[in-house]
Amino acid sequence: MPTLQYRSLFVEPVAGVRLHLREICLPAGQTDQVAPSRGAILFLHGSIENGRIFYNEKGRGLAAYLASQGFHCYVADLRGRGLSEPKVGRGADHGQWESVVEDIPALHRFVADRHPQGVHWIAHSWGGTLAAATLIRFPELRPQVLSKTLFGVKRRISVRSLEFYFKMGVVWQGLAPLCKLVCGYFPAKPLKIGADNEPWGAIWQVTRWTQDRHWCDPVDGFDYSAALQAQHAALMSEPVSDYRWPRSWFLAGVNDKVLGHPTDVQLFIDELGAAETRFTLLSQVKGYRHDYGHIDMLVHRDAAQDHFVELADWLD
């Protein structure tokens, strides 16, 4: 593994908010010697996570792997998470609306200004749902997005199991509201339920989206389902470039029983209706080294010799 360069950058989408981007790349002068320059990637994490799901300073993780292969990687900490400021705490009133309308567009434009040839997007779990919502609201961004790679990404949760009732019923809809009354947010990190804390606004908005068949924003009423239908109709009548979806690859773990169940991933693919879409089930039956789950599809030690290699080739 070649030596990588790590640097912290900050983006200010609105006054008083600083979003952290971890830039990971080969040092200047090494790109052509070790690996050819292969473009820029913006990484988006999911709920009760931060950007660390994609990297560490020891060179492990998807972003570190792709940087070693010549990609210029930018790993986001969404608002209040990771090294972004201010941290999630009492009084934090933001949610996923701010991520979709303010933060992700600002992060993309920052990276796109540095790499005008285009930017790949890679997202895990709910980060991929927010990414899709951003491209529905702002279709003018789509020509600048070279591809989307989505790990364990769903919008609705349709599969019911004991694990579902515990994670979504007991934790998400029971413990999280109780925590809101006590401390004003969901302290997932000290409770050892997740890697980072979550503002209450995101909790109740995620709950709505995972339960409702019709996709609508509970904050401002934006109708994603209707917008998708209108955009698909426009593509049918004429090749409107702004409405074309980037080529997309959805990956699901066969052992992901709730948060990115393969059935729900396929439901989201069908809902989006993008033409150039690939779906892969990460399982031993399909030729992969392990039967992967929701988290280990990104953090397993063998992933860098497994589907990460395939992804690097696909991005090209």
Side-chain angles (χ1 to χ4, degrees), residues 287-300:
Y288 295 95
R289 296 189 178 195
H290 302 279
D291 288 337
Y292 290 97
H294 193 65
I295 299 297
D296 66 357
M297 64 171 68
L298 288 179
V299 303
H300 198 288

Side-chain angles (χ1 to χ4, degrees), residues 15-266:
V17 174
R18 299 177 78 224
L19 303 176
H20 175 249
L21 273 176
R22 193 64 159 167
E23 180 187 24
I24 311 174
C25 59
L26 291 169
Q30 283 195 31
T31 301
D32 293 332
Q33 299 172 18
V34 179
S37 179
R38 300 168 82 176
I41 306 173
L42 173 63
F43 292 80
L44 301 168
H45 64 80
S47 298
I48 59 173
E49 289 179 358
N50 55 47
R52 286 285 185 167
I53 191 75
F54 294 113
Y55 74 95
N56 65 22
E57 273 75 15
K58 296 181 180 179
R60 291 187 60 187
L62 178 58
Y65 171 80
L66 291 175
S68 73
Q69 302 304 303
F71 292 95
H72 205 123
C73 298
Y74 297 85
V75 184
D77 288 328
L78 294 178
R79 189 176 300 199
R81 286 74 150 198
L83 297 180
S84 292
E85 302 169 349
K87 300 286 288 181
V88 171
R90 184 179 293 277
D93 59 357
H94 59 88
Q96 63 185 26
W97 185 91
E98 286 78 7
S99 294
V100 171
V101 175
E102 298 173 346
D103 297 351
I104 295 176
L107 291 165
H108 169 78
R109 292 183 181 112
F110 177 87
V111 178
D113 285 346
R114 293 175 133 227
H115 303 271
Q117 69 272 26
V119 183
H120 299 282
W121 285 13
I122 294 179
H124 178 239
S125 194
W126 202 250
T129 316
L130 300 178
T134 301
L135 293 181
I136 295 170
R137 277 191 183 250
F138 305 104
E140 66 273 13
L141 296 180
R142 295 181 194 175
Q144 304 165 9
V145 180
L146 300 176
S147 72
K148 291 191 305 156
T149 306
L150 306 169
F151 287 87
V153 173
K154 83 290 178 189
R155 202 271 293 176
R156 289 170 48 220
I157 299 180
S158 67
V159 178
R160 298 295 186 263
S161 64
L162 287 176
E163 188 176 350
F164 164 83
Y165 289 112
F166 175 74
K167 288 184 175 179
M168 300 307 298
V170 176
V171 175
W172 204 257
Q173 298 178 35
L175 180 60
L178 179 61
C179 291
K180 175 185 182 294
L181 295 176
V182 175
C183 58
Y185 63 99
F186 185 32
K189 186 174 182 179
L191 290 174
K192 300 188 184 303
I193 295 172
D196 218 322
N197 301 325
E198 197 78 4
W200 173 247
I203 296 288
W204 75 266
Q205 291 165 37
V206 168
T207 302
R208 288 283 303 274
W209 279 14
T210 57
Q211 294 179 346
D212 295 346
R213 287 181 176 271
H214 193 88
W215 191 4
C216 189
D217 196 291
V219 175
D220 63 4
F222 183 88
D223 194 324
Y224 290 95
S225 295
L228 273 172
Q229 292 179 2
Q231 291 165 12
H232 289 321
L235 278 173
M236 292 293 290
S237 62
E238 60 178 305
V240 183
S241 61
D242 282 1
Y243 289 158
R244 289 179 185 155
W245 280 92
R247 64 191 182 101
S248 303
W249 187 5
F250 286 76
L251 299 98
V254 70
N255 275 340
D256 194 339
K257 304 303 183 183
V258 177
L259 301 179
H261 193 287
T263 297
D264 291 330
V265 173
Q266 187 61 60

